[in-house]
C-alpha cells in the first residue's frame, strides 16, 4: 500500500502544474521518495517534475504506448518510491478523440484516485453542479478530493467547501493567488528550467501550498495498492554493440527517458553539444532530438567546425535520426522571428523560419511497410523552402485523417517534424532509420 494519485482539472490553465510541482517538493521535504509522472507527450513538465522531486519524471501516454507498456512503466518506476504522483493533461476528460488518451483514461487504467484542481477565481457555490458533473460522468473514476485555486479569502473558500459537502466530495483546501510562484510561459509551453531559478520558484510553491492545503489528509485519502496487472516484457532485439551519439544541450533536449534507455541497450551512448563541441563523437548512429534551436541560432551557426563535421557524416552515409529542431538544424538555414537568416548544416535542402510562426500540434501515426509508428508534432516554426523528396510513409492524425507532414529520407538520414516514441518497440530504428544494415556490414 502506498499513496498514489492523479492531479487533474476541469480545463487547462487551472494551475495543476504549479500545484503538482509544489506538492512534489512539499512531499519530498517531508522525507518521502516521490516518483512523478506526466500524462501525454510533454517534455517540459517532466523536466520541472524532476527538479521538484529530485527523481526522473516519466511520460505515460495512452496514444503512443500500449496499456501493457504503461502498466510496466508505472510498476517499475514506483517499485522503490514512497508516493506516486501523476500530473494530468488538459481537462480531465480531454483526449485525442473524446476521452481516448485523456487523464481520465489514465486514471481508470492505473486505478488512480483523482485530485481535482478547480480555478475558482470567479466562482462560488456555482461550483457545485460542475463538481457533480465531474463526479458522476464516468462511474469508473474516483475523485478523492478537490483543491480550489486562485481563492482570495477564507470566506470565499467557505462557499466552495459547502458546495463540496453538498456534492459529496471532500475539499482538501485552497491556494491563494501568488505571483511569486507563477511560472513564465514560452511558445512551446512552460519555460525551460535553465532560464529561471526554478528550484527557488518550486520551493516557494511548496511552502505556499502547505499553508492552506491539507497535504497529510490528501496522502491518507489516496493510499492504495499499486496495480499488479501482468505485462509482457518489452521487445529488446539481440544486437551487437553500437556507438550512438545523442545531441544534448540547451538547443536540443526534447528526449523521452525510455527512448534513451532503448539506445543504451543497443550500445554505448555518448552525448555531445552542437552549441559547444567542435568535433563529433565516433558514432554508428546520431540522434538529433528537438528542442529550442531558434533560441541559439547565432551560436549554432558560428560553430562551423561541428556543422561541417555533421555534414560530412551525413554525406558519407552515416545513420541519423533528426526530429523537429534536429531536422531544422540539418537544413540550409533557420530564420529568427525578425526574419534574420542563420546558416545551418546544409545537408537537407530545406529552410525553416520563426518569422511567421504558426502552431502545428497533434499526435501522429506513421505507416510504413505494414508497420505503425507513433509520435507527436508540436512546433511553431514553418518550412519556407522544401526541395527534398519525402519518403514512402503515410502520416495520419489521431482521428485517422491524412495530414501533410513531410518525412525526409536522404542517404541514411531520417528527418521529420515528428517526435517519435520507440521506448516500447525500437523497430522504428530498424525499419525507418535502417540501422539493421549496420549488422550486415
Amino acid at each position: 500500500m502506498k499513496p498514489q494519485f492523479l492531479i487533474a482539472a476541469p480545463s487547462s490553465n487551472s494551475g495543476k502544474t504549479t500545484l503538482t510541482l509544489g506538492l512534489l517538493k512539499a512531499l519530498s521535504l517531508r522525507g518521502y521518495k516521490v516518483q512523478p509522472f506526466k500524462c501525454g507527450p510533454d517534455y517540459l513538465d517532466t523536466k520541472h517534475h524532476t527538479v521538484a522531486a529530485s527523481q526522473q519524471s516519466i511520460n505515460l501516454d495512452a496514444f503512443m504506448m500500449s496499456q501493457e507498456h504503461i502498466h510496466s512503466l508505472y510498476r517499475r518506476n514506483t517499485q522503490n518510491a514512497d508516493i506516486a504522483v501523476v500530473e494530468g493533461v488538459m481537462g480531465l476528460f480531454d483526449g485525442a478523440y473524446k476521452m481516448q488518451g485523456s487523464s481520465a483514461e489514465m486514471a481508470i487504467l492505473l486505478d488512480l484516485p483523482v485530485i481535482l484542481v478547480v480555478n475558482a477565481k470567479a466562482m462560488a457555490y456555482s461550483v457545485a453542479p460542475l463538481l457533480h458533473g465531474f463526479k458522476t460522468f464516468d462511474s469508473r473514476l474516483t475523485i478523492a478530493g478537490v483543491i480550489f485555486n486562485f481563492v482570495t479569502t477564507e470566506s470565499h473558500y467557505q462557499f466552495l467547501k459547502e458546495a463540496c459537502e453538498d456534492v459529496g466530495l471532500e475539499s482538501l483546501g485552497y491556494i491563494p493567488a501568488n505571483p511569486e510562484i507563477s511560472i513564465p510561459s514560452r511558445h512551446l509551453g512552460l519555460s525551460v528550467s535553465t532560464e529561471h531559478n526554478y528550484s527557488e520558484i518550486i520551493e516557494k510553491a511548496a511552502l505556499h501550498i502547505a499553508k492552506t492545503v491539507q497535504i497529510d489528509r490528501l496522502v491518507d485519502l489516496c493510499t492504495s495498492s499499486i496495480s499488479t496487472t501482468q505485462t509482457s516484457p518489452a521487445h529488446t532485439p539481440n544486437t551487437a554493440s553500437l556507438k550512438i551519439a545523442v545531441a544534448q544541450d540547451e538547443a536540443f533536449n526534447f528526449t523521452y527517458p525510455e527512448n534513451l534507455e532503448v539506445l543504451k541497450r543497443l550500445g554505448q551512448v555518448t552525448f555531445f553539444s552542437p552549441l559547444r563541441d567542435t568535433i563529433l563523437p565516433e558514432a554508428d548512429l546520431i540522434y538529433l532530438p528537438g528542442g529550442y534551436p531558434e533560441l541559439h541560432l547565432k551560436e549554432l551557426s558560428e560553430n562551423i567546425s561541428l556543422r561541417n563535421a555533421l555534414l560530412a557524416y551525413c554525406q558519407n552515409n552515416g545513420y541519423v535520426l533528426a526530429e523537429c529542431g534536429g531536422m531544422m538544424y540539418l537544413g540550409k538555414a533557420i530564420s529568427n522571428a525578425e526574419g534574420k537568416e542563420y546558416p545551418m548544416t546544409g545537408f537537407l535542402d530545406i529552410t525553416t523560419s520563426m518569422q511567421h510562426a504558426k502552431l502545428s500540434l497533434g499526435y501522429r501515426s506513421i505507416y510504413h511497410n505494414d508497420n505503425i509508428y507513433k509520435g507527436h508534432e508540436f512546433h511553431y516554426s514553418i518550412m519556407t523552402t522544401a526541395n527534398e523528396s519525402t519518403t514512402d510513409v503515410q502520416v495520419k492524425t489521431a482521428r485517422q485523417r491524412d495530414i501533410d507532414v513531410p518525412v525526409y529520407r536522404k542517404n541514411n538520414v531520417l528527418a521529420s517534424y515528428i517526435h517519435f516514441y520507440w521506448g516500447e518497440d525500437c523497430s522504428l530504428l530498424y525499419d525507418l532509420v535502417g540501422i539493421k544494415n549496420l549488422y550486415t556490414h
Side-chain angles (χ1 to χ4, degrees):
M1 302 286 285
K2 66 179 62 176
Q4 54 175 338
F5 53 91
L6 184 145
I7 298 175
S11 66
S12 297
N13 300 316
S14 296
K16 63 179 177 291
T17 294
T18 301
L19 172 64
T20 300
L21 294 175
L23 274 178
L24 290 173
K25 186 63 176 180
L27 292 167
S28 297
L29 290 173
R30 293 175 184 220
Y32 293 107
K33 182 178 180 181
V34 188
Q35 175 58 57
F37 297 90
K38 172 65 182 181
C39 287
D42 189 284
Y43 293 99
L44 298 179
D45 283 353
T46 53
K47 293 180 186 295
H48 299 140
H49 289 179
T50 303
V51 172
S54 299
Q55 184 75 16
Q56 175 64 60
S57 183
I58 303 296
N59 292 87
L60 301 173
D61 193 295
F63 178 82
M64 298 194 298
M65 305 173 183
S66 70
Q67 292 187 0
E68 292 77 17
H69 185 57
I70 291 170
H71 274 290
S72 177
L73 283 178
Y74 189 75
R75 287 205 328 276
R76 173 156 48 89
N77 286 281
T78 55
Q79 186 174 1
N80 297 317
D82 299 318
I83 297 179
V85 179
V86 183
E87 182 188 351
V89 58
M90 300 185 294
L92 176 57
F93 294 101
D94 296 330
Y97 175 71
K98 295 188 177 181
M99 63 180 285
Q100 292 177 8
S102 67
S103 304
E105 183 183 44
M106 189 64 65
I108 293 167
L109 175 64
L110 295 175
D111 194 22
L112 296 175
V114 172
I115 301 298
L116 196 66
V117 187
V118 177
N119 181 346
K121 181 180 179 180
M123 191 179 295
Y125 190 73
S126 289
V127 77
L130 173 72
L131 295 178
H132 176 75
F134 275 81
K135 177 186 177 184
T136 60
F137 182 74
D138 193 316
S139 60
R140 297 171 297 171
L141 203 64
T142 299
I143 297 180
V146 183
I147 297 172
F148 296 100
N149 204 4
F150 308 112
V151 175
T152 54
T153 64
E154 180 68 34
S155 60
H156 180 194
Y157 174 58
Q158 190 60 37
F159 284 103
L160 304 168
K161 188 176 180 181
E162 290 167 353
C164 276
E165 292 170 353
D166 290 352
V167 171
L169 290 174
E170 183 164 346
S171 176
L172 294 171
Y174 65 97
I175 307 171
N178 184 350
E180 291 188 353
I181 64 173
S182 175
I183 298 176
S185 295
R186 163 64 54 71
H187 58 274
L188 285 182
L190 298 180
S191 298
V192 287
S193 58
T194 55
E195 294 182 310
H196 301 276
N197 190 345
Y198 279 100
S199 294
E200 183 178 343
I201 294 175
I202 291 169
E203 186 107 19
K204 288 181 178 179
L207 296 174
H208 183 65
I209 288 167
K211 295 175 184 177
T212 50
V213 173
Q214 302 169 43
I215 296 176
D216 291 335
R217 177 58 179 162
L218 188 159
V219 170
D220 290 342
L221 278 174
C222 296
T223 298
S224 60
S225 299
I226 298 292
S227 171
T228 57
T229 301
Q230 296 298 312
T231 64
S232 56
H235 174 63
T236 304
N238 182 16
T239 66
S241 180
L242 299 178
K243 293 180 180 179
I244 302 169
V246 178
Q248 187 175 84
D249 55 22
E250 297 90 329
F252 304 98
N253 53 64
F254 288 178
T255 54
Y256 293 117
E258 293 305 308
N259 281 359
L260 294 181
E261 288 302 313
V262 165
L263 294 182
K264 290 174 184 177
R265 292 200 296 270
L266 294 177
Q268 179 183 350
V269 174
T270 302
F271 296 98
F272 71 99
S273 169
L275 287 172
R276 286 176 286 275
D277 292 337
T278 56
I279 60 173
L280 278 174
E282 184 180 349
D284 300 303
L285 169 68
I286 291 177
Y287 175 35
L288 299 173
Y292 289 113
E294 67 272 21
L295 299 182
H296 306 276
L297 294 177
K298 185 174 184 292
E299 299 95 319
L300 289 171
S301 185
E302 289 179 349
N303 192 350
I304 297 174
S305 177
L306 197 285
R307 286 200 287 122
N308 288 341
L310 184 56
L311 176 61
Y313 181 90
C314 295
Q315 290 175 334
N316 290 326
N317 293 316
Y319 287 84
V320 178
L321 173 59
E323 299 173 334
C324 201
M327 177 197 70
M328 295 165 65
Y329 180 54
L330 287 182
K332 295 174 67 176
I334 302 174
S335 296
N336 65 15
E338 291 72 41
K340 183 177 180 180
E341 191 172 84
Y342 291 84
M344 291 292 132
T345 303
F347 177 70
L348 295 176
D349 192 4
I350 64 173
T351 59
T352 51
S353 174
M354 298 298 298
Q355 187 174 20
H356 302 291
K358 179 182 179 182
L359 176 61
S360 295
L361 167 67
Y363 285 114
R364 304 291 179 249
S365 295
I366 302 91
Y367 295 79
H368 182 254
N369 289 344
D370 297 323
N371 296 316
I372 305 175
Y373 306 108
K374 298 295 181 69
H376 189 257
E377 186 180 5
F378 191 6
H379 59 92
Y380 279 83
S381 66
I382 61 171
M383 202 168 289
T384 50
T385 62
N387 297 317
E388 292 290 348
S389 299
T390 57
T391 191
D392 56 338
V393 301
Q394 185 179 22
V395 182
K396 291 182 179 290
T397 68
R399 290 175 173 260
Q400 289 299 295
R401 296 171 180 162
D402 290 333
I403 186 169
D404 184 19
V405 180
V407 179
Y408 299 112
R409 181 62 189 255
K410 183 177 182 180
N411 293 1
N412 288 322
V413 174
L414 183 78
S416 172
Y417 263 126
I418 300 169
H419 299 271
F420 292 103
Y421 183 79
W422 64 83
E424 180 174 3
D425 181 358
C426 66
S427 60
L428 174 142
L429 299 176
Y430 288 80
D431 178 26
L432 282 180
V433 181
I435 64 170
K436 61 180 178 293
N437 296 321
L438 289 170
Y439 307 113
T440 61
H441 291 170

